[in-house]
Amino acid sequence: MEKMKFSISINAPKEKVWQTLWNDASYRKWTSAFMEGSHAVTDNWKEGSKVLFMDPKGNGMVSTVAANKPNEFMSFKHLGEVKNGVEDTSSDKIKGWAGAMENYTLKGTNGKTELLVEMDITEDFKDYFVKTWPKALDLLKESAEAAPEIITIQALVNAPVEKVWAYWSEPEHIMKWNNASDDWHTTSATNDLRVGGQFSSRMEARNGSFGFDFGGVYDEVKTNELIAYTIGDGRKVKVNFTKEGNATKVVESFEAEGTHSIDMQRGGWQNILDNFKKYTEAN
């Protein structure tokens, strides 16, 4: 096997390039260069887990995630093939190339990303990948550089702006309102509300079945007026606080991600904002 390298410069931060690489919808788009309908069956790309790289006919490759360092490095070890839905990892044909590696390295500088793809390729497929990888990377670049859709939600909170600001930013309050539905809650929160400061909230299902950390870094802070931050996947969020008599209008705008529908994202964030309004007015 020969190790081949393909690279591209993308005018987007590595967090966004990473998301574009492995988000299901965008993954399907850039891998369509290899075959229309290409997709991955994966347990969220967890290190050590199995992943199937498939075509629409039930054929493809069975692999494992050898390494996953978010926003920096992803590595796959290819173990065998899938034909008509049946996995083969032990035939003589497979032994000739089993263990081939496919690596993705991201290096970010000044909001741009250099992506390097290294892949062990057999002579039979060399010409094919030489032709198709540049096309795939061009599609990836196009998707990563595209301006994201902006979603805006708002609520009028019947409380003075000073109280609204405090309840929005103080961890003991965040833990009380930061959930989209009653079957979720925030179990811990930290918040360093200053430019360059970081925040993090641990959000979990009340039945303990699932949880995740939501966090980021502050880009701009104007007390009682504006909070702007970048979340972990590179998306931008702005929250404006405006006095309206004895009430405060809260307008939140955020860049959409590609996994869930726009309506689902808008609904989830609006539910959290509505919960904030309810909590603030009641206390």
Side-chain angles (χ1 to χ4, degrees):
M1 285 188 292
E2 178 181 352
K3 184 179 291 293
M4 301 199 69
K5 298 181 179 181
F6 306 92
S7 63
I8 194 167
S9 179
I10 301 175
N11 189 27
K14 62 181 182 177
E15 293 83 3
K16 187 176 181 185
V17 175
W18 182 268
Q19 182 189 30
T20 306
L21 276 166
W22 312 121
N23 171 274
D24 180 61
S26 54
Y27 176 86
R28 289 172 182 261
K29 182 176 180 179
W30 71 264
T31 59
S32 67
F34 302 110
M35 178 176 287
E36 196 69 39
S38 294
H39 62 284
V41 180
T42 171
D43 184 17
N44 202 27
W45 308 103
K46 292 180 182 177
E47 189 170 299
S49 66
K50 182 170 76 172
V51 55
L52 302 178
F53 297 100
M54 304 296 291
D55 69 15
K57 298 179 180 179
N59 302 317
M61 189 176 295
V62 55
S63 309
T64 187
V65 181
N68 182 339
K69 298 179 181 179
N71 305 320
E72 294 182 6
F73 183 70
M74 181 78 86
S75 177
F76 302 107
K77 184 176 183 179
H78 300 307
L79 306 176
E81 68 178 11
V82 184
K83 221 166 192 182
N84 298 320
V86 179
E87 298 179 17
D88 175 11
T89 59
S90 59
S91 69
D92 290 340
K93 174 187 174 183
I94 298 303
K95 290 178 181 178
W97 58 265
M101 302 299 295
E102 183 176 337
N103 300 327
Y104 298 74
T105 304
L106 290 76
K107 294 184 178 180
T109 305
N110 298 324
K112 296 184 178 181
T113 302
E114 297 296 328
L115 172 64
L116 172 66
V117 180
E118 301 172 282
M119 188 177 186
D120 293 330
I121 299 175
T122 61
E123 189 64 31
D124 292 343
F125 289 95
K126 180 178 178 179
D127 289 344
Y128 170 73
F129 283 120
V130 166
K131 292 178 181 178
T132 53
W133 261 112
K135 296 177 182 178
L137 292 179
D138 283 343
L139 288 175
L140 175 70
K141 176 182 174 71
E142 179 184 336
S143 293
E145 292 182 350
E149 182 166 352
I150 304 299
I151 301 174
T152 300
I153 58 173
Q154 60 183 316
L156 184 65
V157 184
N158 292 308
V161 69
E162 294 80 8
K163 179 183 178 182
V164 171
W165 181 269
Y167 277 38
W168 186 273
S169 57
E170 294 174 4
E172 66 263 35
H173 294 301
I174 294 171
M175 292 173 62
K176 300 293 180 59
W177 59 260
N178 189 36
N179 55 283
S181 60
D182 292 339
D183 52 351
W184 280 79
H185 62 159
T186 294
T187 57
S188 64
T190 60
N191 193 23
D192 183 11
L193 187 57
R194 60 181 177 83
V195 174
Q198 299 184 26
F199 68 92
S200 179
S201 295
R202 178 64 183 175
M203 305 176 78
E204 296 184 357
R206 291 188 182 274
N207 64 9
S209 61
F210 186 70
F212 63 93
D213 295 313
F214 180 85
V217 178
Y218 290 110
D219 303 314
E220 188 175 4
V221 177
K222 294 181 180 179
T223 303
N224 298 332
E225 293 183 19
L226 170 69
I227 295 174
Y229 59 88
T230 302
I231 56 182
D233 61 10
R235 292 183 293 136
K236 301 289 187 178
V237 182
K238 282 189 177 182
V239 189
N240 291 91
F241 303 81
T242 306
K243 291 182 180 180
E244 293 201 357
N246 293 322
T248 304
K249 186 176 183 180
V250 181
V251 179
E252 192 170 7
S253 299
F254 60 94
E255 295 178 348
E257 41 90 350
T259 303
H260 304 94
S261 70
I262 296 299
D263 286 344
M264 182 178 292
Q265 293 177 66
R266 180 183 291 109
W269 285 60
Q270 184 68 58
N271 286 345
I272 294 175
L273 181 55
D274 290 344
N275 208 37
F276 169 76
K277 168 183 166 69
K278 179 181 177 181
Y279 171 78
T280 304
E281 292 178 350
N283 292 276

